[in-house]
Amino acid sequence: MTTFDERSGVDQQGQPSPGAALAELDAVVGRIRASVESVLEGKPEAVHLALTVLLAEGHLLIEDVPGVGKTMLAKALARSIDCTVRRIQFTPDLLPSDITGTSVFEQNRREFEFKPGAIFAQIVVGDEINRASPKTQSALLESMEEGQVTVDGTSYQLPAPFMVVATQNPIEMEGTYPLPEAQRDRFMARISLGYPSPDAELKMLDVHGSVSPLADLEPVAHADDVLKLIRIVRGVHVADELRRYAVALVGSTRTSPELRLGASPRATLHLLRAARAAAALDGRTYVIPDDIQRLAVPVLAHRVLPTAETQLGRRTPEDVVQDLVLTQPLPQYSRGR
């Protein structure tokens, strides 16, 4: 049996106790959260979900109207962590090779040399992702799923941690290309920031009135810190009953008469990973049903397609998923097992 030294907080193999590990996670995440919230006023839920996706090794899609802080959230998160960051402005003339990189023939050495593209960073901010062509959007598929890029038959590993934070405007559709289902399915969660409250907007005028706070934002955590937190999240326990609950919940989207396309098995995996991260952020070493229920809408809604009748009834995918959460029987389980 593993025993822990209460004073040092480590076990016989030198590993931190669950309590010490969660305390470290809370301290590091607290610094990152405070840094991001110093720039983005009045959106603590969005910041919390962004941190959940980061620790769950996922990718985040921020979808909302212009001017509510989509790019600000993405850039603030990137600058709060001392790691490599690249920003890609998606435009109709952007080429796949601009993202993945290309092989260039070197005259002096008489051989091809690989020139890495913008995707070779630990946090990649993709601004207005739906303004690039489907061909260019598809350049992200391999990197987001497998953490690597293949060019001319050679695979190149991307740095870890690796996270894509993409933004898109769902209102202005002229000159845009809707994300295909395969691309949306790569994003662990989708969030909408919404308009700030009057108090938050008034405070924004004071903070952003003269100079952008991003200019003075300094890293408060290192990439190695994030990797350590990711390992802690991987160790969060998920009971078998909760796994079956997640499978049943995602499966209900495939049989719902209001949906013509349900969520994929990848969605189930992402839901459990996000639930582990949410539990760790709440200071627990185990997942509870509330973790899965809270994350069901942001993790599943962007992956499903409503029927024509559902759209005519003015019901959104978020409405349908929320109803499925409410009707799905809760699991009966023991935390100690």
Side-chain angles (χ1 to χ4, degrees):
M1 182 178 68
T2 303
T3 59
F4 292 97
D5 186 296
E6 293 183 357
R7 288 181 295 179
S8 64
V10 298
D11 62 16
Q12 294 170 333
Q13 286 74 40
Q15 297 298 317
S17 67
L22 290 177
E24 181 180 2
L25 183 145
D26 184 65
V28 175
V29 170
R31 295 198 301 269
I32 300 175
R33 179 185 287 112
S35 177
V36 177
E37 289 183 351
S38 69
V39 173
L40 193 70
E41 303 292 339
K43 297 297 177 183
E45 298 86 0
V47 175
H48 184 81
L49 183 57
L51 292 172
T52 300
V53 173
L54 173 65
L55 298 186
E57 303 174 82
H59 308 288
L60 182 66
L61 178 62
I62 309 174
E63 182 179 284
D64 216 321
V65 296
V68 295
K70 300 188 300 294
T71 305
M72 187 72 72
L73 170 59
K75 293 172 72 173
L77 179 63
R79 292 197 182 189
S80 298
I81 303 170
D82 187 13
C83 61
T84 56
V85 179
R86 292 283 185 90
R87 182 177 182 270
I88 307 174
Q89 182 65 55
F90 281 79
T91 55
D93 61 346
L94 189 71
L95 298 175
S97 58
D98 296 330
I99 297 176
T100 59
T102 186
S103 296
V104 178
F105 187 73
E106 292 289 342
Q107 292 284 354
N108 296 335
R109 292 184 293 174
R110 308 293 296 176
E111 63 181 21
F112 284 93
E113 181 181 353
F114 177 67
K115 300 293 185 181
I119 198 67
F120 282 83
Q122 289 167 311
I123 294 185
V124 178
V125 180
D127 202 14
E128 298 284 354
I129 188 174
N130 58 335
R131 293 201 174 276
S133 67
K135 181 179 180 181
T136 301
Q137 291 177 17
S138 65
L140 292 169
L141 294 178
E142 181 185 14
S143 60
M144 292 176 67
E145 178 65 19
E146 302 175 37
Q148 67 177 26
V149 169
T150 301
V151 178
D152 294 335
T154 303
S155 296
Y156 303 91
Q157 201 69 27
L158 294 173
F162 174 68
M163 181 183 186
V164 174
V165 183
T167 70
Q168 72 171 354
N169 173 13
I171 304 300
E172 186 182 350
M173 302 307 295
E174 184 176 352
T176 64
Y177 303 87
L179 293 181
E181 286 76 15
Q183 181 68 68
R184 292 203 307 268
D185 201 40
R186 257 65 170 189
F187 287 100
M188 177 172 283
R190 179 184 65 180
I191 61 173
S192 297
L193 297 179
Y195 291 111
S197 66
D199 290 339
E201 193 166 359
L202 189 61
K203 187 176 181 181
M204 180 194 71
L205 296 179
D206 296 332
V207 176
H208 298 251
S210 56
V211 64
S212 173
L214 280 173
D216 299 326
L217 205 62
E218 297 289 336
V220 295
H222 297 278
D224 289 342
D225 296 329
V226 175
L227 287 174
K228 189 173 183 180
L229 300 188
I230 287 173
R231 289 193 291 269
I232 293 173
V233 167
R234 288 175 181 171
V236 172
H237 175 67
V238 183
D240 290 339
E241 292 82 357
L242 284 180
R243 295 173 189 267
R244 287 192 285 270
Y245 174 66
V247 169
L249 178 58
V250 175
S252 67
T253 65
R254 303 167 194 162
T255 58
S256 171
E258 294 187 277
L259 301 174
R260 59 187 176 92
L261 177 68
S264 67
R266 184 189 288 119
T268 313
L269 179 62
H270 283 180
L271 184 59
L272 277 188
R273 286 180 178 175
R276 282 193 176 100
L281 287 172
D282 283 351
R284 283 180 278 105
T285 58
Y286 53 88
V287 172
I288 61 176
D290 286 354
D291 299 323
I292 297 175
Q293 291 179 324
R294 288 201 313 264
L295 289 164
V297 171
V299 173
L300 302 180
H302 65 287
R303 306 170 192 264
V304 301
L305 293 178
T307 62
E309 292 78 8
T310 303
Q311 292 176 309
L312 288 174
R314 298 185 180 275
R315 282 175 56 78
T316 65
E318 287 80 3
D319 295 332
V320 177
V321 172
Q322 187 59 51
D323 286 348
L324 293 175
V325 170
L326 295 176
T327 57
Q328 188 66 35
L330 287 174
Q332 301 296 323
Y333 72 103
S334 172
R335 292 175 185 168
R337 289 194 332 197

